[in-house]
Amino acid sequence: MSAAPARLLTGLRTGLFGTRANTLITLATLLLLSQVVPPLLRWALLDATFTGNADACTRDGACWAFVTAKLRFILFAFYPPDLQWRPTLVILLLAAILSLSALPRFWGRPLLFAWPLTILACWLLMQGAFTDTQIPSNQWGGLPVTLFVWAVCFAAATPIAVLLALARRSKLGGLRTFSVLYIELMRGTPMVGILYVAMLILPMALPDGLSIDKMLRAIVMVTLFWAAYIAEVIRAGLQAIPGGQTEAATALGLSYWRTQQLVILPQALRIVIPAMVNLAIGFLLATSLLAVIGIFDLLNAARASAADPKWLGFYNEAYLVVAAVYFVICFAASRYSRWLEDRLKAGRREP
């Protein structure tokens, strides 16, 4: 046996049975799995129905025929079927810009210009631009809405959060007070409350005759809300940088903004990579709260699909599909965080 498999087996044996406590925990886990896994496999595979209609499905097994019939609705909700290539293209565009943003070799000014262009293209595609049919945002839904709101809000909130974090550490009392009040107010308000402000209060604050699309109002308010949370994470990274580095940069003649750009922020952002990815995952899951203002995100579309009178009650299958989508995205983000930490050598100390 080669060295790598041998080390793996040794690690597993030590971790699972190395101590009496580990052995008891391992045996208890195996016992629990023996009680849970066989019924789950029986429900998901052996007694499942893969084809047919709702009458062919039984309550003893999963009805994967429901998933086949309603998958397009789960992914795209009420978007017109003949134009669903548009939200599909939106998903691909968002996946492409997120993939490019994840690779350090593409970090630079071209990527900064690519983001607003991609967002504009996605918005126009979802609206049905350049066609005879305009698609109102009430018909948007499913995975494109979840990814669009998540990507746009997180991307727009991050630069705002950097400014808020710097303002909270500023020596200017008024600026620091404003930042503290803003951050604490937003962090002390539930996201549901922010969404109700976007839905009910913001339209009343607009001048007569001026209206803003519901989706756009939600994106603006969610961006401002998320910025407060990201600001605190970035502030933690800023506090981890020794003050001597700022003094050294000042002694070299660098201005405040050049010091932050070239010396402080690159190090601070490296330190908070795990926390930022954790926030991004949490924000992705929080997009399900858009349902409270009538926006059909992925989870809400899945719930609505199981309310179809022809396929009534198959909520387990619908939620499993959504859970699988969320898991793939979140697991990929988690692994990316580990890779980026190793790539940038974040948090490592030289011996």
Side-chain angles (χ1 to χ4, degrees):
M1 183 179 294
S2 62
R7 285 197 301 268
L8 178 61
L9 290 176
T10 301
L12 288 175
R13 184 168 59 251
T14 303
L16 298 177
F17 304 102
T19 64
R20 183 177 299 177
N22 286 358
T23 302
L24 291 176
I25 293 173
T26 300
L27 294 177
T29 302
L30 292 175
L31 178 62
L32 178 63
L33 290 176
S34 68
Q35 299 298 314
V36 172
V37 173
L40 181 61
L41 290 177
R42 189 180 307 111
W43 175 83
L45 297 176
L46 299 180
D47 297 334
T49 302
F50 294 92
T51 59
N53 54 23
D55 296 333
C57 296
T58 64
R59 296 299 174 180
D60 295 331
C63 183
W64 301 122
F66 159 79
V67 175
T68 303
K70 304 298 291 185
L71 183 60
R72 288 167 68 94
F73 184 87
I74 294 174
L75 293 178
F76 305 117
F78 298 104
Y79 207 89
D82 57 327
L83 295 176
Q84 285 180 358
W85 63 270
R86 287 176 169 268
T88 302
L89 185 56
V90 167
I91 295 174
L92 295 176
L93 285 175
L94 291 173
I97 193 66
L98 289 171
S99 299
L100 292 176
S101 302
L103 300 175
R105 61 179 173 177
F106 293 109
W107 294 352
R109 190 165 298 175
L111 188 61
L112 294 178
F113 289 108
W115 263 100
L117 293 176
T118 301
I119 292 171
L120 178 61
C122 291
W123 183 269
L124 293 176
L125 283 168
M126 293 297 290
Q127 276 193 325
F130 312 115
T131 64
D132 297 333
T133 305
Q134 295 297 308
I135 312 299
S137 60
N138 289 333
Q139 292 184 258
W140 302 5
L143 184 58
V145 167
T146 294
L147 293 179
F148 183 75
V149 173
W150 174 51
V152 172
C153 291
F154 195 80
T158 300
I160 299 174
V162 171
L163 296 177
L164 287 171
L166 294 175
R168 188 159 186 172
R169 289 169 50 86
S170 173
K171 296 180 181 179
L172 301 176
L175 188 61
R176 184 173 62 252
T177 301
F178 168 78
S179 177
V180 171
L181 291 176
Y182 177 88
I183 291 173
E184 297 305 326
L185 176 64
M186 284 296 184
R187 294 176 71 227
T189 304
M191 184 173 168
V192 173
I194 296 296
L195 291 173
Y196 278 127
V197 169
M199 186 67 180
L200 303 175
I201 299 178
L202 188 58
M204 293 188 295
L206 297 174
D208 293 339
L210 178 62
S211 63
I212 301 178
D213 186 86
K214 176 177 65 175
M215 181 72 69
L216 186 58
R217 295 199 306 266
I219 288 175
V220 170
M221 294 304 298
V222 170
T223 297
L224 297 176
F225 178 77
W226 287 357
Y229 284 85
I230 300 174
E232 286 297 273
V233 171
I234 294 176
R235 185 170 70 91
L238 294 173
Q239 289 180 330
I241 306 301
Q245 298 203 25
T246 301
E247 296 172 1
T250 303
L252 292 174
L254 295 179
S255 66
Y256 172 81
W257 290 109
R258 294 295 287 177
T259 299
Q260 298 299 327
Q261 177 187 0
L262 300 177
V263 180
I264 305 301
L265 281 175
Q267 298 180 77
L269 293 176
R270 287 191 186 100
I271 293 172
V272 299
I273 286 172
M276 290 286 284
V277 173
N278 184 58
L279 273 182
I281 292 174
F283 291 160
L284 172 66
L285 302 179
T287 56
S288 60
L289 293 176
L290 294 171
V292 301
I293 60 172
I295 294 177
F296 274 74
D297 69 302
L298 180 63
L299 183 61
N300 199 23
R303 182 166 53 245
S305 69
D308 186 344
K310 296 180 180 179
W311 297 92
L312 190 62
F314 295 104
Y315 291 100
N316 291 336
E317 292 82 351
Y319 290 146
L320 279 174
V321 172
V322 174
V325 174
Y326 280 135
F327 174 79
V328 169
I329 298 174
C330 295
F331 182 76
S334 177
R335 298 307 301 174
Y336 166 73
S337 173
R338 294 285 301 272
W339 173 82
L340 188 61
E341 282 185 84
D342 293 339
R343 171 69 182 270
L344 300 179
K345 298 182 179 179
R348 290 186 178 179
R349 296 182 179 181
E350 295 295 333

